[in-house]
Amino acid sequence: YKFRADYQSRQLWSDTVNIPNASSAIIQTGQSSFPVKVVDSGGSGINNVQVYAFTSGGSYIGVGGRTGADGVVTLNLVNGDYKFRADYQSRQLWSDTVNIPDASEVTIIAE
């Protein structure tokens, strides 16, 4: 048998296991911490901005958080293509699409 977990809008699969020889199956998420920074036009981080993660196709994956004093929020994400939205001063600001693990971070500029 193979087992599937739907996680962060991704389908993750276990290796094939033989039942009853195997008593469990493991599904690896490949999850890692990814920093998203929200800055003003001068490059200074903006505190307390809500940031959301979306698939490259625009589906919200249920992951988000608020920036700290340095303007950074770190999100735990499965490898894949993402874009991020920051809600700041009644505006929705979007990042470019990035690939995790190829990108090490993304910055959203509040202009």
Side-chain angles (χ1 to χ4, degrees), residues 9-110:
S9 296
R10 307 268 190 261
Q11 293 180 348
L12 306 171
W13 292 89
S14 72
D15 290 335
T16 301
V17 295
N18 184 321
I19 297 175
N21 296 341
S23 61
S24 64
I26 297 172
I27 298 174
Q28 299 287 339
T29 65
Q31 193 167 328
S32 59
S33 298
F34 186 78
V36 180
K37 187 169 189 174
V38 181
V39 299
D40 61 22
S41 58
S44 297
I46 304 172
N47 185 38
N48 202 33
V49 177
Q50 185 66 43
V51 175
Y52 303 93
F54 292 79
T55 65
S56 59
S59 297
Y60 177 57
I61 64 164
V63 175
R66 290 198 173 273
T67 60
D70 57 357
V72 176
V73 60
T74 301
L75 304 175
N76 291 316
L77 300 167
V78 174
N79 291 344
D81 294 328
Y82 296 93
K83 57 186 176 181
F84 302 89
R85 188 185 84 203
D87 292 349
Y88 179 66
Q89 295 183 338
S90 301
R91 295 181 294 157
Q92 294 181 340
L93 308 168
W94 289 89
S95 73
D96 292 331
T97 298
V98 297
N99 177 272
I100 298 171
D102 293 344
S104 59
E105 66 178 24
V106 69
T107 300
I108 300 172
I109 302 172

